[in-house]
Amino acid sequence: MTRAGFTSPFAAAFNLPIDPMMAKSNTAPPNWWFFGSYLLWYTALDGALLTTMAWLFNVRWRMER
Amino acid sequence: MGLVIQRDKYPDRLFAPASRNDLLADGANPVFDKEMRSEIFSQGTLMLRVVIQVSMFLALPLMGILLYPWPELAPWYIAYVILFNMLVGPVFSAGSVTSERERETLDLLLTTTLSPGQILSAKLISGLRVSSVLTMFLLWPLLLAVVMVNTYWSNLLTVLAYVAIVGMACLTTATVALFCSVMFRKTSSSLMTTYLLIVVLFTAPLAVTYFAGTFFPDTLPRRW
C-alpha cells in the first residue's frame, strides 16, 4: 500500500535523501525506482488529461463539420 | 519593494512580452499571442498576492536552515517549494477556459479554424509560465547551495531529480487546473475542484504512509 505513494511529489523528494558523506552517516540510498514511478505516473496522467480535453473539444463542443 | 519587469528587455520579454502594436504574423497562434501578452499580475486575489509575498519571505530562513548547515534536510526545502506550487499553480490555469464561458466568448473561439491543440497549448503554456517562474524563484537558493556547499557536489544527480520533481509538480498543477477549467462552468468551482484533486494526489499517500507507519511499523522502512 505504501508503495502507491509515488503519486506524491513529497514522498518522491524524501525518497531521494542527500548523503552527507560522513563516516557515521546512516542515510538510506536514493530510491530511483520510486522517482521513476513518480515521473512516469504524472507523464501518463498529464498526457491522459490533455488527450481527454482535446477529445472533448473535438467531439462535444466543436461547431465545424 | 517589488518586482520590476521591463517588458521590452531580455529576458523579461520571454516571460511577459509587451502589448502588441503591430500585426500578428501569418500562421501564428492568436490565442497563444493574446494569452502571453495579457496582464499577468492582475490575476488572482489579494490573498494570493499575500501568499506569494509571505512564501517568498519565509523561503529566506528556511533556505538558510535547510540547505546550508544541514544539507541532509534539503528534501524538506523541496517539500516547501512543492507546497508553494500547490497553492499558487492552480490559480493561473483554473480560469483559463471557464473565464471564456463566463465572458461568453468560448462559442466564438470554437467557430474559428484553430485546432483544440492550439487552444489548449496556448492556455496551458500561458498559465504554466507564471506558476513555474514564481516556483523557480524558490529553487534558485538550491542551485546557489550546490555551488557553495560541497556536500551537494557528490549528490548532483539527486539535486537534478529535485528540480525534475518540482518541474513535474508545476506541470501537473497547471494541467489539472486546465482540465477542471474545461469541465466546469464557473471559475470558482474549477479552482476548488483543482485544489481538492491536487491535495488528494499529493498528500493522501503521505497520510497512508503515516497510518501504515503508526499501526504497522514493522512493514514500513522509515525514511523521515
Side-chain angles (χ1 to χ4, degrees):
Chain A
M1 203 171 175
T2 53
R3 284 178 191 159
F6 62 77
T7 65
S8 168
F10 299 106
F14 281 104
N15 271 280
L16 298 174
I18 293 283
D19 186 358
M21 307 298 282
M22 292 162 72
K24 291 182 179 177
S25 168
N26 57 354
T27 309
N31 187 346
W32 293 107
W33 283 108
F34 199 94
F35 170 69
S37 305
Y38 165 77
L39 286 187
L40 206 63
W41 159 253
Y42 279 111
T43 304
L45 179 71
D46 294 343
L49 290 178
L50 288 170
T51 307
T52 307
M53 285 185 272
W55 177 78
L56 284 171
F57 267 90
N58 271 325
V59 173
R60 288 184 59 184
W61 299 315
R62 202 64 180 163
M63 291 189 172
E64 66 180 1
R65 287 195 294 268
Chain B
M1 191 174 71
L3 180 68
V4 176
I5 291 184
Q6 294 180 311
R7 286 169 170 263
D8 56 338
K9 299 271 172 63
Y10 180 86
D12 299 16
R13 62 188 155 93
L14 298 177
F15 168 63
S19 298
R20 179 176 291 280
N21 51 16
D22 54 351
L23 295 175
L24 193 64
D26 288 342
N29 183 346
V31 179
F32 180 75
D33 195 74
K34 177 254 175 190
E35 295 287 344
M36 289 297 283
R37 292 168 193 278
S38 62
E39 183 53 57
I40 51 176
F41 293 105
S42 64
Q43 294 181 24
T45 60
L46 180 63
M47 182 68 191
L48 173 76
R49 295 175 200 200
V50 171
V51 165
I52 293 171
Q53 296 284 342
V54 170
S55 303
M56 294 285 179
F57 183 75
L58 263 179
L60 297 173
L62 285 176
M63 138 185 112
I65 295 166
L66 301 175
L67 293 181
Y68 291 92
W70 296 286
E72 62 272 22
L73 296 181
W76 287 98
Y77 186 77
I78 300 303
Y80 175 72
V81 177
I82 294 166
L83 183 67
F84 173 78
N85 185 257
M86 277 175 71
L87 289 171
V88 169
V91 174
F92 298 104
S93 296
S96 50
V97 178
T98 48
S99 63
E100 300 273 4
R101 283 201 180 95
E102 287 165 350
R103 293 196 305 261
E104 298 183 353
T105 52
L106 183 62
D107 290 340
L108 196 61
L109 189 61
L110 292 173
T111 59
T112 63
T113 56
L114 290 168
S115 70
Q118 283 177 300
I119 297 171
L120 289 171
S121 62
K123 300 280 186 192
L124 180 67
I125 293 170
S126 69
L128 185 61
R129 68 165 167 157
V130 186
S131 71
S132 57
V133 166
L134 286 172
T135 306
M136 291 304 159
F137 278 148
L138 296 184
L139 269 192
W140 280 116
L142 178 67
L143 301 182
L144 195 64
V146 169
V147 175
M148 296 175 72
V149 182
N150 59 8
T151 304
Y152 293 106
W153 299 352
S154 55
N155 292 279
L156 277 180
L157 207 55
T158 305
V159 173
L160 284 176
Y162 289 158
V163 176
I165 288 170
V166 173
M168 187 56 88
C170 289
L171 179 65
T172 301
T173 51
T175 309
V176 172
L178 182 61
F179 182 76
C180 290
S181 182
V182 167
M183 299 306 291
F184 287 88
R185 288 184 182 279
K186 291 171 65 180
T187 302
S188 55
S189 310
S190 164
L191 190 59
M192 293 309 294
T193 310
T194 305
Y195 276 127
L196 185 68
L197 290 174
I198 295 291
V199 165
V200 169
L201 271 174
F202 284 11
T203 63
L206 300 181
V208 171
T209 308
Y210 181 78
F211 179 85
T214 304
F215 295 103
F216 308 100
D218 297 336
T219 61
L220 183 68
R222 194 165 181 83
R223 287 183 178 273
W224 63 89

